Amino acid sequence: MEQNAKYNRKKRILLLIFCFIIIAITSFIYLNTNTLNSWIKIIPDTGTYSSIRAVEITGDGVLDIVIGGGGKEYNPSDNGIMAFNGASGELLWNVPVRNQIVGSAIFNDIDNDGIKDVFIGGRSAQLYAISGKTGKKIWEFLPTEASMDLANDTTLLNFFNPQWVPDMDNDGLKDLLVSFGGFVWIHWTKLTPQKAMHSTMVRNCRSVGC
């Protein structure tokens, strides 16, 4: 009995040593072949109220990053919508805008290139569909015109976070539901329920013109 107990103890010790060696070898291999990269990206003269959204753009198996941004309110910016390589932090593309992009992106591939496209909104009636692959505009709700008065035109309100809804026009694609409102120069004490400036829009995600 005593011999069997000693044998079992030795067996357990050898098994523990074997398991430890396997764990050590596996950890060594992982740390030397899957080194995690960390990066920091600073975009000069650009702030954001948008939330980071992750989506595969580059096809490397690491989710990439899309975020809205901008400069001072009512001022144009080259960095309104930005996509970054999730592995390296490299700027993949950026979209110029007329005012801050304060919404957060949602995704759907509408140009059939295998890469999800970006849908995002912001101040001054900005709502975009952007090619996830190239960063080019597929459509926009209201193109910029030189005559626009961003600070005083009460029709140029803000698009907030869009949501997907079922296909409303039978074109085979989900459509967008998005809130539109928030004229910043009207003090809240002057608003009545009838005068409150907000609305809800349902948009076709394939084309702005429907």
Side-chain angles (χ1 to χ4, degrees):
M1 293 287 295
E2 188 177 343
Q3 250 183 344
N4 285 338
K6 286 182 179 179
Y7 174 78
N8 288 333
R9 279 198 299 272
K10 286 181 181 179
K11 192 175 179 181
R12 285 196 295 269
I13 291 170
L14 288 172
L15 182 61
L16 287 172
I17 292 172
F18 177 77
C19 290
F20 176 78
I21 292 171
I22 293 298
I23 291 170
I25 292 172
T26 303
S27 299
F28 177 82
I29 293 172
Y30 177 82
L31 291 173
N32 282 273
T33 58
N34 295 278
T35 303
L36 297 177
N37 295 322
S38 62
W39 52 264
I40 297 173
K41 195 74 176 181
I42 297 174
I43 310 298
D45 303 316
T46 301
T48 185
Y49 293 100
S50 175
S51 297
I52 286 174
R53 293 290 185 260
V55 64
E56 180 63 89
I57 293 175
T58 59
D60 63 359
V62 178
L63 292 179
D64 304 300
I65 291 170
V66 175
I67 190 170
K72 292 182 179 179
E73 194 166 359
Y74 303 120
N75 285 275
S77 170
D78 288 334
N79 299 315
I81 309 164
M82 297 167 285
F84 298 93
N85 185 305
S88 67
E90 173 194 1
L91 181 67
L92 298 173
W93 48 255
N94 57 305
V95 179
V97 296
R98 60 175 171 263
N99 202 348
Q100 299 165 344
I101 298 297
V102 296
S104 301
I106 59 176
F107 308 100
N108 190 23
D109 180 14
I110 64 169
D111 57 9
N112 299 314
D113 64 358
I115 303 295
K116 289 185 177 180
D117 304 306
V118 179
F119 299 81
I120 193 169
R123 303 193 193 281
S124 301
Q126 296 178 106
L127 180 65
Y128 297 99
I130 304 296
S131 167
K133 185 175 183 178
T134 66
K136 293 182 178 179
K137 294 177 189 176
I138 299 173
W139 56 255
E140 61 180 307
F141 173 75
L142 185 65
T144 300
E145 296 180 2
S147 60
M148 284 180 169
D149 185 352
L150 303 186
N152 299 298
D153 187 339
T154 59
T155 67
L156 298 177
L157 306 181
N158 307 313
F159 279 108
F160 297 98
N161 292 348
Q163 304 293 327
W164 293 117
V165 295
D167 183 6
M168 308 295 287
D169 56 0
N170 299 314
D171 66 352
L173 292 173
K174 291 181 180 179
D175 294 310
L176 293 168
L177 175 68
V178 59
S179 58
F180 180 66
F183 184 65
V184 298
W185 291 115
I186 292 183
H187 194 273
W188 68 269
T189 56
K190 297 181 180 179
L191 287 177
T192 65
Q194 290 75 31
K195 291 182 180 179
M197 295 188 177
H198 60 82
S199 59
T200 300
M201 295 188 178
V202 178
R203 304 299 305 178
N204 182 316
C205 77
R206 186 188 296 277
S207 168
V208 73
C210 78

